[in-house]
Amino acid sequence: MICKTIPLNETAHFNTYFLNNSNEYNVGKKRPFVLVLPGGAYAFTSDREAEPIALRFNSIGCHAGVLWYTTRDLVPNVPRNAFEEAMMAIRWVREHADEYLVHTDQIIVCGFSAGGHLAIECATMWHEDWIAKKLGCDSDLLKVNLAIPCYAAGKAEKMPVGESGPLMLRPKQTGNMRFFGSDDPTDEQVEAYNCLNKVDEHTPPMFIWHTYEDQLVDVGNSIELAWNLKKHDIPFELHIFEKGEHGLALADRTTARKDSHKNPHVYHWFELCEEWLSNYIDVAEGMYGELPFNPDFMKD
């Protein structure tokens, strides 16, 4: 595996988990790349929704990376700033696709909670002219081909002025400033956070999952997202598990911090996701590699 730390700016970076090119199987195969977007209420980035997720995608033959976007109140309007950093990461991956054997038509974002919001932003905003102009590149370099929002927060309500917002023990700015970029945001600024209404013909297919019992991010976010995808004729798969709290990640011992993080039923979300992904990433061309097997590699 090729693990690198790629700086994006002074406060954000992403870690790569590129699979090595084998001389025995899938020689020269161009693989999908999954950019993992951890959650944490845009206050921090959760380790539980980071490397373990990337490694699980590695296990099914995908390259992966984890985006450590800027949090901890180092910038206002964290979601918009994080979106720009995610686009920087995707641009970097496409620019280095030949070097690491990345399939440039199989760039996937997978996000959890606030990272799920970021994944939906990436899926619905990648084509907007302003971001390509800001990053000095063509929109094609920023394209998101598939998205996997997991118990995603698609929208947020304005908080009382001065309130710190969720998960901040020592806030440096108010929750409204963190989410919307203003202590007293206008309706337009609040709506800008709502990425559920940004679905259009440029939005890629999605695999969506949530739990009915989620008390932190209402399952209605995922239902509304699916409905908006349907209205725009965008394919999707939606799984709503009845039992389970917010933040289950892989729902097994791998990512559990307590017993309630282990849920043997929700655990199947990744298996279901892999089956869904196979319809998009198991394409006939280059399925088993771009180069023939060379037995000479086994000789001394």
Side-chain angles (χ1 to χ4, degrees):
M1 185 180 296
I2 304 171
C3 298
K4 299 171 71 72
T5 298
I6 310 300
L8 299 173
N9 53 38
E10 293 182 356
T11 55
H13 66 278
F14 78 101
N15 294 333
T16 70
Y17 299 81
F18 289 118
L19 296 171
N20 288 317
N21 181 37
S22 173
N23 288 314
E24 178 185 357
Y25 76 105
N26 292 348
V27 184
K29 178 181 174 67
K30 294 181 179 179
R31 300 179 182 273
F33 180 89
V34 182
L35 183 63
V36 178
L37 308 169
Y42 283 125
F44 72 105
T45 41
S46 171
D47 290 343
R48 297 177 53 250
E49 298 162 344
E51 183 172 85
I53 310 298
L55 295 177
R56 192 68 187 273
F57 278 109
N58 283 160
S59 75
I60 64 170
C62 298
H63 298 306
V66 175
L67 176 65
W68 301 99
Y69 52 91
T70 304
T71 56
R72 303 196 180 276
D73 282 352
L74 296 177
V75 293
N77 199 355
V78 177
R80 181 53 54 88
N81 190 76
F83 167 69
E84 294 178 15
E85 292 167 345
M87 292 292 99
M88 293 178 195
I90 290 173
R91 178 187 63 183
W92 188 95
V93 170
R94 275 208 172 85
E95 288 175 341
H96 295 80
D98 289 342
E99 181 180 356
Y100 297 106
L101 293 176
V102 175
H103 197 307
T104 55
D105 290 330
Q106 297 178 0
I107 303 296
I108 305 159
V109 291
C110 176
F112 299 78
S113 192
H117 175 271
L118 179 54
I120 301 169
E121 280 205 323
C122 291
T124 57
M125 295 169 56
W126 65 266
H127 64 282
E128 295 186 4
D129 291 339
W130 70 268
I131 185 62
K133 184 176 180 179
K134 185 163 188 176
L135 298 188
C137 66
D138 292 334
S139 290
D140 288 348
L141 278 179
L142 309 178
K143 185 174 182 178
V144 173
N145 300 105
L146 298 168
I148 306 169
C150 310
Y151 45 89
K155 54 187 177 181
E157 296 180 357
K158 177 180 176 180
M159 290 166 262
V161 174
E163 187 175 291
S164 63
L167 302 181
M168 289 302 287
L169 297 178
R170 299 179 180 86
K172 300 175 184 177
Q173 59 188 7
T174 67
N176 284 333
M177 182 65 76
R178 184 179 314 118
F179 281 81
F180 309 118
S182 170
D183 286 327
D184 188 14
T186 64
D187 290 344
E188 289 76 14
Q189 288 172 310
V190 174
E191 181 59 24
Y193 181 97
N194 182 358
C195 52
L196 301 182
N197 289 336
K198 296 177 182 176
V199 174
D200 64 14
E201 68 274 13
H202 301 285
T203 303
M206 295 192 190
F207 179 94
I208 309 161
W209 74 271
H210 215 125
T211 60
Y212 171 79
E213 291 185 340
D214 193 326
Q215 295 296 306
L216 189 57
V217 176
D218 190 272
V219 67
N221 282 263
S222 290
I223 295 172
E224 185 175 341
L225 171 61
W227 178 240
N228 286 346
L229 290 168
K230 171 61 178 174
K231 288 191 293 186
H232 287 84
D233 201 27
I234 306 297
F236 67 89
E237 189 160 318
L238 171 65
H239 294 272
I240 299 174
F241 301 93
E242 180 185 355
K243 303 295 183 181
E245 64 186 74
H246 184 77
L248 290 178
L250 289 174
D252 65 0
R253 71 174 69 85
T254 311
T255 56
R257 193 178 65 243
K258 53 185 179 179
D259 285 344
S260 58
H261 283 158
K262 293 184 286 186
N263 186 312
H265 184 49
V266 177
Y267 167 81
H268 295 294
W269 81 261
F270 193 88
E271 297 171 353
L272 293 166
C273 182
E274 179 185 2
E275 292 173 358
W276 173 81
L277 270 177
S278 68
N279 294 317
Y280 294 97
I281 65 176
D282 290 343
V283 294
E285 184 179 357
M287 169 84 73
Y288 301 109
E290 303 290 342
L291 302 172
F293 169 68
N294 181 6
D296 290 340
F297 88 93
M298 296 183 290
K299 299 179 181 179
D300 291 332

